[in-house]
């Protein structure tokens, strides 16, 4: 589940974003990938988390290579 931040304020409630970190997970079909310390924009009102486009692309690559490795459960950390 990924939501791209395309605006400067939260599309749901109009709140402001603050820089934060989140844990992102994806179902690979056969396995599950969890990525910790993912940079995200967090709404200061509703707490919803949004990703930058570059971050979303990096997560896609991590998911693709985890799927290739056939990992059942893999936990990675995204470097800053
Ligand atoms: Zn919000």
């Amino acid at each position: 589940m990924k939501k791209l931040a395309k605006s400067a304020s939260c599309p749901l409630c109009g709140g402001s974003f603050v820089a934060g970190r989140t844990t992102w997970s994806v179902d690979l079909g056969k396995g599950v990938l969890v990525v910790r310390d993912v940079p995200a924009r967090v709404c200061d009102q509703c707490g919803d988390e949004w990703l930058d486009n570059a971050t979303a692309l990096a997560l896609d690559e991590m998911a693709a290579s985890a799927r290739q490795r056939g990992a059942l459960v893999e936990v990675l950390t995204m470097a800053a």
Side-chain angles (χ1 to χ4, degrees):
M1 184 66 186
K2 274 181 308 212
K3 291 172 293 184
L4 292 180
K6 287 177 180 153
S7 56
S9 57
C10 177
L12 296 182
C13 72
S16 304
F17 287 134
V18 293
R21 299 253 159 185
T22 188
T23 299
W24 182 82
S25 62
V26 62
D27 190 334
L28 302 172
K30 189 172 151 196
V32 175
L33 171 67
V34 178
V35 186
R36 301 183 57 116
D37 287 330
V38 176
R41 291 188 232 179
V42 184
C43 175
D44 69 353
Q45 285 194 42
C46 71
D48 215 15
E49 295 165 338
W50 301 77
L51 301 178
D52 287 332
N53 194 43
T55 305
L57 287 175
L59 289 170
D60 276 346
E61 283 175 23
M62 291 167 90
S65 72
R67 192 180 282 121
Q68 235 168 25
R69 285 192 293 275
L72 288 180
V73 178
E74 188 157 323
V75 181
L76 302 174
T77 300
M78 186 175 274

